[in-house]
């Protein structure tokens, strides 16, 4: 549980930095990481990619969070 929360915060923070946005704080980064993990997990399953390590889970969440940020930037321009 604690590991998942930390991974979500890290993933949200990294995704914000990769897309050129500022970190919005721990709660927003956590929410972004959780949503990103869901989106990334769905995308990875569609592609047949499995993650089995903590680093793989963070990478999956970061990719998903970047996708979420990109979609939001296109919708709310």
């Amino acid at each position: 549980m604690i590991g998942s929360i930390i991974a979500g915060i890290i993933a949200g923070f990294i995704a914000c930095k990769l897309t050129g946005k500022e970190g919005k704080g721990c709660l927003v980064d956590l929410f972004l990481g959780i949503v990103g993990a869901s989106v990334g997990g769905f995308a990875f399953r569609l592609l047949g990619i499995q993650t089995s390590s903590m680093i793989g889970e963070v990478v999956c969440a970061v990719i998903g969070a970047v996708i979420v940020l990109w979609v939001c930037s296109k919708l709310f321009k």
Side-chain angles (χ1 to χ4, degrees):
M1 178 75 172
I2 298 295
S4 297
I5 292 171
I6 292 170
I9 292 170
I10 291 169
F13 180 77
I14 291 171
C16 284
K17 294 299 179 182
L18 286 175
T19 57
K21 309 240 185 310
E22 291 293 321
K24 305 294 184 190
C26 281
L27 289 178
V28 174
D29 287 346
L30 173 62
F31 178 74
L32 179 60
I34 291 169
V35 172
S38 298
V39 171
F42 178 74
F44 274 38
R45 279 191 299 277
L46 283 177
L47 297 172
I49 301 170
Q50 294 182 353
T51 58
S52 58
S53 68
M54 183 66 154
I55 293 173
E57 295 290 330
V58 171
V59 169
C60 176
V62 168
I63 291 171
V66 168
I67 292 169
V68 169
L69 284 172
W70 180 76
V71 169
C72 286
S73 73
K74 297 298 179 189
L75 289 177
F76 302 112
K77 220 173 194 183

